[in-house]
Amino acid sequence: LYAPPSLLSNGNWTLLGPTSTVPTNAGGAGRLNCITIDPTNTNILWAGAASGGIWKSIDGGITWSTNTDKLAVLGISDIAIDPSNTNIMYAATGDGDAGDTYSVGVLKSIDGGNTWKITGLNWLITSGKNMNRIIINPDNTNIVFAASDNGIYRTLDGGDTWVRVLN
């Protein structure tokens, strides 16, 4: 999200972390691509960083932690949570504009983000592909859509197999 500097200087902003001080001259500052709120508990927040992995807060953003430092790529474009089972989550990897890292496809967690595994939609980072968005069908959560620079993909089986439905 972008806000003009005039709005930022006039706003009433509060730093929530994961650090305790605002970096100066962009030193150590990271860029977020997405923030997702758990549909059953608004104190649980997920943030996907351009090249910093997935971050979780269980206290409404006061503190943050990550367990994704060892993923194949640390860029996360989007995070989607299954509204009928919040232990099931999907992550679109890579930085959406490829400014920091390319995608390896879609990751899935079935244990509330404790572990992540690659789905049937995957490619090598050297392929130079980007992902931007991932959406779960709320009426049938086995149907998931993933938008990439290579088209829009759909799975009907919770991520095992994917078909490109739009170039």
Side-chain angles (χ1 to χ4, degrees):
L1 301 174
Y2 171 77
S6 61
L7 287 178
L8 294 176
S9 63
N10 294 331
N12 184 13
W13 293 90
T14 303
L15 180 64
L16 296 177
T19 184
S20 59
T21 59
V22 177
T24 58
N25 298 325
R31 177 171 48 87
L32 295 181
N33 284 332
C34 64
I35 296 176
T36 303
I37 302 169
D38 184 300
T40 61
N41 184 344
T42 58
N43 282 319
I44 300 176
L45 309 172
W46 296 89
S51 62
I54 298 171
W55 289 79
K56 179 182 183 181
S57 174
I58 60 171
D59 54 16
I62 295 169
T63 60
W64 293 85
S65 63
T66 185
N67 65 356
T68 58
D69 288 345
K70 301 209 188 282
L71 290 179
V73 296
L74 290 180
I76 301 295
S77 302
D78 200 14
I79 301 167
I81 301 172
D82 183 326
S84 65
N85 180 352
T86 58
N87 280 320
I88 298 174
M89 304 170 63
Y90 296 88
T93 64
D95 184 13
D97 67 4
D100 289 302
T101 184
Y102 289 113
S103 175
V104 293
V106 174
L107 301 178
K108 181 178 182 179
S109 175
I110 59 170
D111 58 9
N114 291 320
T115 60
W116 295 89
K117 296 190 187 299
I118 198 74
T119 67
L121 180 57
N122 63 80
W123 41 71
L124 297 174
I125 196 168
T126 55
S127 298
K129 293 183 177 17
N130 302 323
M131 297 206 73
N132 298 94
R133 187 87 162 102
I134 191 153
I135 298 172
I136 300 171
N137 181 332
D139 296 326
N140 180 345
T141 58
N142 281 317
I143 300 173
V144 181
F145 291 90
S148 76
D149 64 348
N150 194 42
I152 296 177
Y153 292 82
R154 178 186 66 207
T155 180
L156 301 174
D157 56 15
D160 291 337
T161 59
W162 295 80
V163 174
R164 186 167 53 184
V165 293
L166 184 66
N167 290 337

